[in-house]
Amino acid sequence: MSHTVSMIAAGDLCTMAPLDALIGTDAEAMIFSDIRPLIDSTDISLVNLENPLIDGGTPIAKAGPNLKGAEAGVSLIRAAGFNCAILANNHIGDFGSEGVMRTLEVLKGAGVETVGAGANLSEAAIPWIAERNGMRVAVLATAENEFGGASDSTPGSNGYQASRIIGAIFAARQKTDYVVIVMHGGNELNPVPSPVVVDRYRSFIDAGADSVIGMHPHCPQGFEVYRGKPIFYSCGNYLFGYPGQGSPLSSWYYGYLPRIVFDGPQTSLSVHPYRFSPEGDKITLLTGAEKDRFLNYLDRISAVIADPQELQKHYEGWCVLEGGKLIHGLLHEGKPIDPGTGPITDKPTLIMRNILTCEAHNHLASTYMRMVCDGRLETCRQYIQDVKDRQQIP
């Protein structure tokens, strides 16, 4: 019996329009026909489900958009061939406790395993254990603390808390052969992770994880091998049914599947880039010159991660671009916050809450304010063009 185990992970799958029109039709299988053989050749396959599956339901009050897909959309996951749906993200709780629990029921009924969400925080934190080829692989999934996180008594996703995740890694190491961390977080549309994210993901390896896979930025980010273990900072979107993303050449429509092979103490990796159509009717693996261009691009943005000074410069340029908009969200238009007796529903307060509680937003806002107060904003503007250049998929 082989004692190697292969794993593949896909980024964000959102089953909303225009994908919803393809659910249950002959076109559904065609979406994945080019990429399905790669999934089928791998022992363990994961995909991040970026929306609850519920017919009806009531959206929660939150800062960003509320996403949901029809329950019938579970057939997309089955057609794609994935073993397990990752639910630790900032949208699985968009339709409250009802949406989370219904999604879990729908996936279970379709024979799809889940990780990263549950009826309470204890359940949401339970790792998924995959047994393949006589080996046991633990997958732990967590998300930054935006909206929809589980509590001790309410359903939701497994919110990130450093000591708790590190403890979970130690615990999983005692019971399994390999431990993989999937984390949903970081700055959306930033092609390079922040220095804080790099430190965080490396700390997971230091604690005993065998690989870290990042999701959420909606664009590809680079990867590195740290202490012999692969860290993928963002796979990009996998197939995202959300309108109005502009040019089909946008990084929104590009991503890559990291494929990891665990073989005793050795870990090997390969990267499989793709793009999906704005209509959502096809995912196409890149080949030939197009693949070469993408891999060269991936090498270029990965090189930034290995250079601490360049990484800091890129992040400061990103803060100049995005920080002012975020700080505006903290300005409550001079109005006092009225806590009332029930949940807050006014948008300015919800935006403020998200900036203060979401790790990526908080770090961006605080870094921007330090730059402003230190008089460094104009100096750091020189890095903006580097950021914009790295946002362009060749």
Side-chain angles (χ1 to χ4, degrees):
M1 177 183 291
S2 170
H3 288 288
T4 65
V5 180
S6 57
M7 169 181 284
I8 208 162
D12 302 342
L13 168 65
C14 177
T15 64
M16 295 171 60
L19 270 70
D20 57 354
L22 306 176
I23 293 170
T25 71
D26 293 339
E28 190 176 55
M30 293 302 298
I31 300 172
F32 308 103
S33 60
D34 194 43
I35 208 164
R36 178 73 190 256
L38 178 62
I39 306 297
D40 289 342
S41 70
T42 307
D43 297 318
I44 299 168
S45 53
L46 313 168
V47 66
N48 176 65
L49 178 60
E50 188 78 346
N51 58 265
L53 300 173
I54 181 172
D55 297 331
T58 303
I60 65 169
K62 61 178 294 190
N66 296 80
L67 307 184
K68 79 162 184 172
E71 294 172 17
V74 71
S75 66
L76 282 169
I77 298 175
R78 289 176 58 88
F82 292 103
N83 306 144
C84 182
I86 301 158
L87 304 181
N89 57 60
N90 57 312
H91 286 291
I92 200 64
D94 279 4
F95 279 70
S97 298
E98 181 187 10
V100 174
M101 297 308 296
R102 186 59 188 145
T103 302
L104 290 167
E105 292 171 5
V106 169
L107 290 166
K108 182 178 180 181
V112 179
E113 302 277 359
T114 63
V115 65
N120 51 52
L121 184 56
S122 294
E123 287 191 13
I126 295 172
W128 177 55
I129 308 296
E131 298 191 29
R132 303 286 191 275
N133 305 329
M135 310 296 283
R136 287 163 56 85
V137 180
V139 178
L140 297 165
T142 186
E144 289 189 344
N145 294 283
E146 295 199 53
F147 294 85
S151 73
D152 290 339
S153 58
T154 58
S157 65
N158 183 29
Y160 171 71
Q161 203 280 327
S163 61
R164 194 164 56 80
I165 298 302
I166 297 299
I169 295 172
F170 279 115
R173 282 236 66 89
Q174 310 308 310
K175 302 175 183 178
T176 61
D177 298 288
Y178 303 102
V179 179
V180 175
I181 305 297
V182 180
M183 181 155 189
H184 202 88
N187 301 117
E188 293 185 356
L189 304 181
N190 185 356
V192 176
S194 72
V196 164
V197 166
V198 171
D199 287 345
R200 180 183 299 147
Y201 290 8
R202 288 175 179 174
S203 76
F204 296 156
I205 301 294
D206 292 337
D210 294 286
S211 182
V212 181
I213 302 168
M215 299 181 181
H216 175 66
H218 299 305
C219 67
Q221 291 182 342
F223 68 94
E224 66 173 338
V225 177
Y226 172 72
R227 297 182 60 185
K229 310 294 186 181
I231 302 175
F232 304 93
Y233 286 95
S234 172
C235 307
N237 287 332
Y238 184 60
L239 183 63
F240 211 101
Y242 193 74
Q245 299 308 315
S247 167
L249 297 178
S250 166
S251 59
W252 180 272
Y253 298 106
Y254 285 79
Y256 63 90
L257 293 173
R259 190 176 189 272
I260 309 163
V261 177
F262 300 114
D263 184 4
Q266 304 299 317
T267 304
S268 60
L269 65 93
S270 56
V271 168
H272 304 269
Y274 60 84
R275 55 181 163 78
F276 65 93
S277 65
E279 298 76 23
D281 59 354
K282 188 68 174 175
I283 301 175
T284 304
L285 283 170
L286 303 187
T287 59
E290 191 176 18
K291 179 179 180 180
D292 290 341
R293 285 194 297 270
F294 183 93
L295 293 178
N296 287 336
Y297 167 77
L298 197 57
D299 286 342
R300 182 159 57 92
I301 59 175
S302 296
V304 181
I305 298 166
D307 184 337
Q309 291 184 332
E310 191 65 23
L311 185 67
Q312 183 65 31
K313 288 179 181 178
H314 177 97
Y315 187 63
E316 290 178 350
W318 177 261
C319 289
V320 175
L321 272 175
E322 301 294 331
K325 297 178 237 178
L326 212 61
I327 291 300
H328 180 75
L330 285 172
L331 303 177
H332 205 256
E333 301 175 0
K335 300 174 183 176
I337 297 174
D338 179 9
T341 57
I344 293 289
T345 58
D346 74 280
K347 211 63 158 180
T349 303
L350 293 168
I351 291 171
M352 181 187 294
R353 179 268 205 211
N354 202 35
I355 294 169
L356 294 173
T357 62
C358 170
E359 288 78 359
H361 293 332
N362 186 293
H363 183 55
L364 174 55
S366 61
T367 302
Y368 178 80
M369 287 309 300
R370 287 192 186 98
M371 292 162 60
V372 169
C373 293
D374 292 345
R376 299 182 59 243
L377 209 59
E378 288 304 317
T379 301
C380 293
R381 288 189 191 279
Q382 64 182 301
Y383 310 139
I384 287 177
Q385 191 56 50
D386 287 341
V387 174
K388 292 182 176 180
D389 289 344
R390 289 169 181 144
Q391 285 181 309
Q392 301 302 309
I393 300 290

